[in-house]
Amino acid sequence: MRFLNLAGVCLAGLASIASAGVVPAERVNAVEKRATSTTTRVADAACTNGPLTRSCWKNGYSVATDFDQKFPTGGATVTYNLEITNGTCNPDGNGPRLCLLFNGQYPGPTIRATWGDNLVINVKNSMKDNGTSIHWHGVRQYHSPGSDGVNGLTECPIAPGDSKTYSFQVTQFGTSWYHSHFSSQYGDGVVGTMIFEGPATANYDTDLGVYPLTDWYYQTAYQINAITLQNLANQGPPPSADNILINGTNKNANGGGSYSQVKITKGKKYRLRLINTSVDNFIRVSLDNHQLQVMTSDFIPIVPFYTNWLLIGIGQRYDVVITANQTEGNYWFRANVATDCLSGNKMGALAIWSYDTVTAGTPTSSAFAAAAAGCYEPAGITPYWKQPVPSSQFLNSPLTVSLTRASFTPGGELHVLWAINGSSMNIDWSYPTLSYLMDKNTNYPTDLNVWPSSAEGSWNYWLIQMAPNMPPVPHPIHLHGHDYFVIGYGNGQFNQSTASLNWANPPRRDTATLPGGGWLAIAYPSNNPGTWLAHCHIAWHVSEGLGVQFVETPSQVTLPDSAAYKKTCDNWKAYVPTSYWKKDDSGL
């Protein structure tokens, strides 16, 4: 993430509102009507999912079913075994570099399950000198907060040589990814993708599966993280990434490596699951001559809309449908660094999409006209489930985010760090927040940045506000344990008398963009007891303490199996005294 200098950011509870101007957004075309099928917006027991009826599912469930309100039960138990090892990888042909890999591959295996299934994922840490914890991004973890995979909050790290089992029900459908939550470790390869089969709001013939996009560095993530921390002290930017990868590959600046290649058939419709798994870069994508029909924002089904270019923030996902309706030939798929989001990269990425009646070759297609500048959420996002948010329960509980000088270790070197209310988040790997709940200990240290949620069944409202004179650096804000409603966003300082807020049917997702120099207003109900992290998903920023955690209805939290939990922590504590790498950042 590039920026010139830094001031602060402010998180505050929402106050009263009125109406005002609109923030520019990605240019989109008119919204398409919902695809016709045998169903109405009410779930239909007789509805069968197929190419012309993707809104259907089975057993009385369809895309009309809000999965926070109702989801299938009694599904299959689906088991995966993942082992993380030290290795090397060379995804763009520039040369091998140190990587940390799931099952010896990059990206890691795609985890597939069906809406209502129960996932059991056994993770073995065979890395030589790294602890880890594995987070299942965007997964609600309903009644399973101990499987959220955030060391220092929901578990102790998994020590080298140790294993942990993550178990949770698939209460949602759609596309996501998994990654380690241990400093900036996932930037060295500890990532994979997930598909939860279910209904959709647009029809298609073939599901092409996941299409992850990521920035790529030739130095390790830990090296880049250390440089970024030094640069922050001087109000300088992080290093630019060296490349962008599409589905794990690309050519490098010298022409080595290879492009991702996809075959399509004239007249067919294809579902493509786009995921930004970067550590730093916002990425904008398009397929020459072919519009993208967007049908999800993260896990949430939306009213489909068309666009030529789609901006994807770090951690965000969009499922799109591409219709093969152009002259048969070869076309470039483009993934460009979003410089208007102040993201830095020395390269862009290309992939080759070919109709199956022609010989695959270098495309001569031309890009669409450039998207309107601005690092904003796409304007066409309207949830398929119309759900008004009450506007009468405002709380005014300011949280101020700024820079401070602090140390991550007692008596250690002071660094310039992100902080909330003067506290840079700094978790304790050996005594996670769930341990406080197990011990009925409410004496949380300040630097855990613990905040209570509203009472069960009531609403939480937060205004994330960049302070005056802050450089226009956008932040992708991700919340664990929930998706949230994006009530509004805008430039400059939030003004109660002029802010434009959407209470009638706001966008809903688990990762949204705080505009540079502006504000982002979100809301969500307390309906999932647990200890939930909220943080900027730029890896360097959360490493530098930009996060808070919400302890939601602690008396009703479903605690993990105490014996297994204790075993993980005991093994970690036994490992720490002889560990090679010592904790030197927030731990997240």
Side-chain angles (χ1 to χ4, degrees), residues 27-40:
R27 184 178 298 151
V28 298
N29 292 340
V31 172
E32 182 196 45
K33 293 181 180 180
R34 293 185 184 89
T36 58
S37 75
T38 60
T39 67
T40 64

Side-chain angles (χ1 to χ4, degrees), residues 437 529 552-557:
L437 270 60
E552 181 178 338
T553 323
S555 63
Q556 297 182 31
V557 171

